[in-house]
Amino acid sequence: MRRPSGVADGDPLPQSLRLLLGTREALARSYLPFLTAGGFFLEGASASRLGEPCELRLQLPDSPYPATVETRVVGICPDPVVRPWRPGLLLALAGTDAERWRQRIEALLQT
């Protein structure tokens, strides 16, 4: 497995998460355009710390197969005491392909 950028030899590999977005509506609900590089909210996912790299297996509506996308944890929503918040992770696109992914996702949302 190729090591994500920012993960040195000897460091533990990032956790691997999966996000299947079969429709444009599902993509719009999960996508976080307010993050500089774009990103996703993964409901129910958990991580140990902010800044942790995560390998996201992402399947977009225009693709029959998931692709591996580098992300980084930028927010953790714990199990809420007050609704409507949902527990999960905010993941920012990261790595050398972050801008390409952001452009592709935003183009899908505009169609």
Side-chain angles (χ1 to χ4, degrees):
M1 176 197 301
R2 180 176 69 91
R3 286 195 169 272
S5 60
V7 178
D9 288 337
D11 285 350
L13 287 174
Q15 70 173 315
S16 184
L17 302 168
R18 188 175 185 96
L19 182 60
L20 305 176
L21 300 167
T23 66
R24 193 172 142 219
E25 291 76 22
L27 175 60
R29 279 191 306 272
S30 293
Y31 185 63
L32 303 174
F34 58 84
L35 297 176
T36 301
F40 295 96
F41 176 73
L42 265 66
E43 186 173 354
S46 62
S48 58
R49 67 193 189 314
L50 289 173
E52 177 180 17
C54 291
E55 182 180 271
L56 182 64
R57 296 286 295 153
L58 176 65
Q59 185 172 349
L60 295 174
D62 67 342
S63 176
Y65 304 104
T68 301
V69 179
E70 288 181 50
T71 63
R72 205 161 281 287
V73 177
V74 295
I76 300 173
C77 298
D79 196 9
V81 175
V82 179
R83 300 282 178 209
W85 303 109
R86 303 175 313 226
L89 297 177
L90 281 72
L91 301 175
L93 295 168
T96 56
D97 291 334
E99 180 62 19
R100 183 179 62 85
W101 279 108
R102 185 190 64 76
Q103 289 175 356
R104 179 176 171 194
I105 291 162
E106 291 182 359
L108 279 172
L109 290 172
Q110 291 176 6
T111 58

